[in-house]
Amino acid sequence: MAEALQQLILNTLDAQGAIKDTRSLVIPGQPEPAASHDSQIVILGALNSLLSRDMIKYDSHEVLSYILSPEGAQIAKEGSHEARVWVALPAKGLGPPMTQAQLGKEVGDATAKVGQGNAFKQKWIAREGDGLVKAVDSIKDVTQLELQEIESSGDLKSGQKALADLRKRKLVVQRKGQWFTVQKGANFSTSTAKPETDLTADMLASGAWKTSTFKKYNFEAEGIPPAGGSLHPLLKVREEIRNNFLEMGFAEMPTSSYVESAFWCFDAMFVPQQHPARDLQDTFYISDPVKSLPPEPSYYKRVSTVHEHGGYGSTGYRAPWSHEESSKLLLRTHTTASSTHMLYKLAARCRGEDIEGDEKEFTHGARPTTAHGNPVSDDGFRPAKLFSIDRVFRNETMDATHLAEFHQVEGVVADKGLTLADLIGFMRVFFKKMGIEKVRFKPAYNPYTEPSLEIFAFHPMLDKWVEVGNSGMFRPEMLEPMGFPKDVRVHGWGLSLERPTMIRYGINNIRTLLGHKVSVEGIENSAAVMF
Amino acid sequence: MPTVAVDKAELWERLGQEYSSEDFDALCFEYGLELDEDTTAEVEEAIKKGLPAERPQLKIETPANRYDLLCIEGIARALKVFLGKTKAPKYRLVYPPNGESDLLTVTIHPDTKKIRPLFACAILRNIKFTPSSYASFIDLQDKLHQNICRRRQLVSIGTHDLDTLKGPFRYEARAPKDIKFAPLNREQEYTAEELMTLYESDKQLSRYLHIIRDSQVYPIIYDAEDRVLSMPPIINSNHSKITLNTTNVFIDVTATDQTKLDIVVNIVATMFSEYCAEPFTIEPVKMKLPDGSTKISPDLSEKQMLAHASYVNSCTGLSLKTEEVSNLLSKMSLFPTLSTSNADEIEVSIPPTRPDIFHECDIMEDAAIAYGFNNLPHTFPPTTTVGQPSAINKLSDIVRLEWALAGWVEVLPLTLCSHEENFAFLNHEDDNQTAVKIANPKSLEFQVVRTTLIPGLLKTIRENRSHSLPLKIFEAGDVVFKDSKRERQSRNERHAAAVWCNKTAGFEIVHGVFDRAMKMLEVPRISNSGSNAETGYYMKETSDPMYFPGRAATICYRAPNKRKNSTLEKLKGALHVNDDDLVIGSLGILHPSVLEKFDIQYPCSAVEFTLDPFKKQMQKIWTNDE
């Protein structure tokens, strides 16, 4: 039918040049012109379809129309209450007058009640004895006629007053409707052949593309999302930072050891055994397995001695040393534990040992350089620039900014004669590569670095300085027991991976970034990262 | 980092200057303090509303090793010296008029060895407290107790009105039932046993009871008339409590750690000696030790260290003259003297307020702070090296990328999980040989380190039920196994796993995504264990209860080149004996009971395998080896 209607519209336009009022159209299969609201809706569908092909143009006009209420519809069909009362009664003299009760039975109590009053008002009926009879021979049921007119045309010729009266009686309700005037469009033709939506292989083969018309493309619509997969946003940021390190000549350290001993995580780094970071409150300790195997005995001895009694020019902590404390197993609280183990391996040659194992995973540098360029005698030391980005664990109560596990970005530079100025200069470059221009450095305390510097960056959105990382030069009490020569200095710095990622993606709650509560749809929609 | 609240007006008065919030923040930043909060605006707001308000405060975060900055007295003193407004004070011991014979004595009983063996003390004479300095005195003790004293475990402090007591004193250890006194702020006397019960409900003190509770003997300090001074580390006596009107203060400090004991007694004494009639003087006490020797307490002697301008310069990147370095050190409340014999050398006296200095590098840092970290030149380390990713990360990046290209979404669940999720929920039993277990988790979510990636993936599916089906997710991440051969008794293993969730289980789909990974790693598919192929992977049906019966397989891998090495291997090859083939993982349709435990209403298939056998050795580049 839709196509027949479209054809009718096009034919009418072709014949008449324009359609002044779509209510005059006779929809195919319908007996009468399309005056009703529903008919105009059908016509609108046909018009829009033709409009999308630019075959026509149309303007819409609003019109108020009326439809019958259920009661109105019943009246249109069966007559008004008063008419039904009149019909039910006997003519005067022809049969016994009808009692109230009988009338109620005949037409229903409601109709009997309302109809009687109105019929009396119209003088259609009269009282005779106990009953009622017709008072006139014939009646004209105006209400029914009016309602029938409204039912078919949606309007009443006799005017607003009568309509208002019917509305008050709740027999009709008002409804907003539309009708249209139609003109020819740019692509007007009387042919309703469907335009093509896409170029097909068949068209190419048959050459039909030359004569086909093509449907106008809706450039406002969105394309179809591809069915491809996605990488996780946090790891996209990890890749960007990892690339920064690689671009600057850093080798990635192996960090495949979530479980550390307190020796490597704290003692070897000259973190005192009574340090609060080692509390149960802050660190996950391991109940099974129970404790670590002992580290290399002579190194262990050098470490415990520098804590308990000092050495290498240091007074040490001069606090009691506990072997039990040192052999506890825990989940590493920082990847600096892995860096420490790596530095110990880096110093192997300085200790006169052969290197074996994991160290093949990072690249030794060239011969050491001191103070920017002077060659020195070979004591086995090789400079190194190392980095890692991996998981660390804190026994924290979880909230919007804290998880029990997160990722630490860590960098280490080891060379002879490195200076604090080098560290500061390098940190400026490192953060600049992450898009952070304004940084400044605050003296801080960290048991394994001296000097220790907190790095603050100016956050233009927050309009204030925020801490973005920690850095420092590892203490001689940490490096010299490993066997490094005195003039080897090691820079270290660290930051969390989550913080820059949350800033990058405007995330306030870390749980929407890491963990099983992250939305898969969010991952699919997270943008690429370019610092 | 500890935060110290100081009265703003009082600090300005002490510094002899008022600062704007910005200027003071800058000063703090330069010195290594952090201005956390200035309550001025808050206070003004309260006054405007007619609400009761305290005086404006500055909340200052201080470095955890600078115990001398835990009170306004110390902060003001350090900043004044830093700003060059005054010289650092010299702390002195002043003996009573008749010298050593007049000293108060404390006898340390040998029994104290059983519980808290170390003792130190000091006397502040003719002190004049104000309400604010009195509050600061109490607050400093609390700050020390919470920090260096490790919640009184290692060290604890008691302070007494000396005029209520009569020397000599005795530090003893007695059975709890034999100790009886009225504790601070109570009139009634209690035995130590009763006190332990009494304070169980005390929010503050209950935290310290465990330190001595189970000991046979409790530490206790008496005066000459058997009046109790205190029962460290729990409570002082009411009799000797100090008040605003106290003029002579006796400080007792007990400890299990000599170094921290010395630090604490020195900090309390030096900080508050400024209120003595003769500022910065402290009257010592003679201690009679269990071995019969005597010792004067406190020991305020300055530690002597050598610093070298050349060392400071080589560490900082500066080229300062020895004299310039010396001037910088003076700003940090140290006492430098240029050496007469060596032009590079500075003899540095470290006052008892600076126990944070262990090594010349600490002195070097002080010089750098005084110079200003942000005034240092920006140089770039000359270290030349070649960058290289780690082998395992390079490998797992390849699998991650290939799987994402294949249309799968990478997720990142946590490494820690509950014991149930790692075992029972997967229909697996814990043989106690596999998983690393956590001793002190704050929640059940963190009982074990995962040995499989499957629970994290299933939890992710559970939390994403609003996502349209199918869900195709994967993770490449570490799991941890117990490993008794290693120093850390465990080893990480890099796994890759994927789960498909849809209206149908789709075994062949996870199979396909695994095949894809193998194809990209150039590992050929071989028919089965009987195959004579040199390398490749194959599947073998298994009955893992995590999977649906008949829809589960283990994945086996035959590594290349292994088989050629020996005659025996060749023979084995010929006989199709493949006991070297590694089981690297498994795949299958997850058992409905597993899905139920993870609250998933749709069928799922899963694959998990270890990446470690596919790791390539990284090329050794530029080692400059001989």
Side-chain angles (χ1 to χ4, degrees), chain B residues 497-510:
Chain B
V499 174
W500 160 272
C501 174
N502 200 7
K503 287 179 181 158
T504 52
F507 181 95
E508 65 285 355
I509 291 174
V510 291

Side-chain angles (χ1 to χ4, degrees), chain A residues 369-396:
Chain A
T369 39
T370 51
H372 304 252
N374 306 322
V376 288
S377 64
D378 191 2
D379 49 16
F381 174 72
R382 294 290 176 273
K385 292 196 296 206
L386 307 169
F387 81 98
S388 66
I389 307 174
D390 207 348
R391 251 179 240 223
V392 294
F393 304 84
R394 304 273 168 94
N395 196 2
E396 304 231 32

Side-chain angles (χ1 to χ4, degrees), chain A residues 286-441:
Chain A
I286 305 294
S287 56
D288 179 18
V290 180
K291 59 177 187 173
S292 71
L293 297 182
E296 195 278 305
S298 63
Y299 176 52
Y300 176 83
K301 184 75 197 150
R302 291 195 295 278
V303 170
S304 65
T305 304
V306 75
H307 276 252
E308 206 173 1
H309 308 294
Y312 312 101
S314 173
T315 59
Y317 291 115
R318 292 161 295 138
W321 171 268
S322 157
H323 175 69
E324 191 199 338
E325 180 65 37
S326 186
S327 60
K328 281 181 181 167
L329 287 169
L330 46 87
L331 292 179
R332 67 177 175 214
T333 57
H334 48 189
T335 47
T336 320
S338 303
S339 308
T340 303
H341 189 233
M342 217 57 239
L343 286 169
Y344 174 72
K345 290 193 161 186
L346 185 69
R349 255 189 252 242
C350 310
R351 295 191 300 269
E353 295 167 17
D354 280 337
I355 304 169
E356 34 77 43
D358 284 345
E359 85 293 336
K360 283 177 186 148
E361 290 209 11
F362 73 93
T363 313
H364 287 212
R367 291 271 180 111
T369 39
T370 51
H372 304 252
N374 306 322
V376 288
S377 64
D378 191 2
D379 49 16
F381 174 72
R382 294 290 176 273
K385 292 196 296 206
L386 307 169
F387 81 98
S388 66
I389 307 174
D390 207 348
R391 251 179 240 223
V392 294
F393 304 84
R394 304 273 168 94
N395 196 2
E396 304 231 32
T397 309
M398 299 207 288
D399 61 30
T401 53
H402 295 90
L403 278 181
E405 47 189 290
F406 58 96
H407 293 77
Q408 184 184 333
V409 177
E410 162 117 344
V412 170
V413 180
D415 201 352
K416 296 204 170 191
L418 290 177
T419 69
L420 185 59
D422 287 336
L423 174 62
I424 287 179
F426 186 68
M427 284 300 98
R428 289 184 190 280
V429 175
F430 179 82
F431 281 98
K432 201 164 186 171
K433 277 181 83 77
M434 286 179 65
I436 297 170
E437 295 269 350
K438 271 170 91 173
V439 289
R440 61 177 192 174
F441 301 86

Side-chain angles (χ1 to χ4, degrees), chain A residues 212-233:
Chain A
S212 300
T213 53
F214 284 86
K215 188 175 176 184
K216 194 172 158 59
Y217 190 79
N218 179 7
F219 291 96
E220 303 289 318
E222 285 183 22
I224 296 170
S230 316
L231 295 174
H232 193 279

Side-chain angles (χ1 to χ4, degrees), chain B residues 292-310:
Chain B
S293 65
T294 61
K295 187 176 168 186
I296 297 296
S297 176
D299 178 4
L300 294 180
S301 60
E302 294 173 348
K303 190 158 60 183
Q304 302 302 318
M305 287 179 82
L306 283 180
H308 301 82
S310 58

Side-chain angles (χ1 to χ4, degrees), chain A residues 251-305:
Chain A
E252 192 170 27
M253 288 182 267
T255 46
S256 300
S257 194
Y258 290 165
V259 177
E260 273 297 346
S261 61
F263 177 80
W264 285 108
C265 199
F266 300 122
D267 296 336
M269 299 178 63
F270 199 55
V271 176
Q273 290 200 324
Q274 297 80 9
H275 195 273
R278 304 174 71 145
D279 272 7
L280 290 169
Q281 289 303 312
D282 299 291
T283 300
F284 284 116
Y285 283 93
I286 305 294
S287 56
D288 179 18
V290 180
K291 59 177 187 173
S292 71
L293 297 182
E296 195 278 305
S298 63
Y299 176 52
Y300 176 83
K301 184 75 197 150
R302 291 195 295 278
V303 170
S304 65
T305 304

Side-chain angles (χ1 to χ4, degrees), chain B residues 403-443:
Chain B
W403 278 3
L405 289 173
W408 292 65
V409 179
E410 181 176 43
V411 297
L412 203 57
L414 301 178
T415 311
L416 307 181
C417 61
S418 75
H419 186 273
E420 270 185 333
E421 286 164 351
N422 200 68
F423 292 104
F425 279 18
L426 304 177
N427 295 336
H428 286 157
E429 293 215 353
D430 181 5
D431 60 3
N432 286 318
Q433 305 299 314
T434 323
V436 168
K437 289 171 190 151
I438 294 165
N440 57 330
K442 281 191 181 139
S443 100

